[in-house]
Amino acid sequence: DSAIPSLPGKSTISAMRAGVYFSAVGAIDRLIEELLSHSKDAPIVYITGGDAEWLCRSLRSEHLFVPSLVLEGLCVVVSERSS
């Protein structure tokens, strides 16, 4: 299910899903916040992977959603090796 979990959870399972989801989103936002506090330049944050689009819906921090980043990187490696 790709819906953002609602709070509060109405069952143990829905509460656990919400906890995992918002823990991940909060951890990403906090990491970006920490990076910003240690640098004068804002980091470029790429979000990719199976749940990236889902997580991006709740992120407060600036980020770039790149669904095919791994495949694009593999194409670069293959291209460089074959040249």
Side-chain angles (χ1 to χ4, degrees):
D1 185 2
S2 62
I4 294 171
S6 59
L7 292 173
K10 306 258 188 277
S11 69
T12 300
I13 299 238
S14 65
M16 290 174 64
R17 282 188 182 135
V20 168
Y21 178 82
F22 288 107
S23 292
V25 168
I28 294 166
D29 277 332
R30 175 64 190 271
L31 179 59
I32 295 168
E33 182 182 302
E34 286 296 317
L35 288 169
L36 286 168
S37 74
H38 290 88
S39 174
K40 61 183 175 190
D41 300 319
I44 299 172
V45 177
Y46 296 93
I47 307 292
T48 192
D51 288 330
E53 185 175 12
W54 183 51
L55 293 169
C56 285
R57 291 190 230 158
S58 296
L59 288 173
R60 295 177 180 167
S61 303
E62 189 172 334
H63 62 278
L64 298 170
F65 170 55
V66 185
S68 58
L69 183 63
V70 172
L71 294 176
E72 291 174 31
L74 288 172
C75 286
V76 168
V77 169
V78 168
S79 175
E80 288 178 355
R81 287 189 177 189
S82 62
S83 351

